[in-house]
Amino acid sequence: MPFVIPPMIALTAAALGVAALGRTLAREWRRINEELEQMRPAEAVDPSRLPKLRRDPSTGVYRPE
């Protein structure tokens, strides 16, 4: 006698499997995108926008002009 799974149980199991696979793929997608975002180089800073620093002769501390 062959083993037969009722169609409703088979469809339910398949739907649960597809849902679990979808969640796993979405989680991996987000994880990989976060890793790629961390590896993205930072924006270059325009040196002309940075403040000029001048050394204070009494303390030796550099301060913006």
Side-chain angles (χ1 to χ4, degrees), residues 5 7 16-17 21 29 31 35 39-40 42-44 49 61 64:
I5 299 175
L16 289 174
L21 180 63
W29 188 283
R31 183 188 65 81
E35 283 184 18
M39 293 173 45
R40 179 177 289 173
E43 291 183 26
R49 294 183 56 199
V61 176

Side-chain angles (χ1 to χ4, degrees), residues 6-25:
M8 190 57 109
I9 293 175
L11 288 174
T12 303
L16 289 174
V18 167
L21 180 63
R23 285 183 58 125
T24 303
L25 288 175

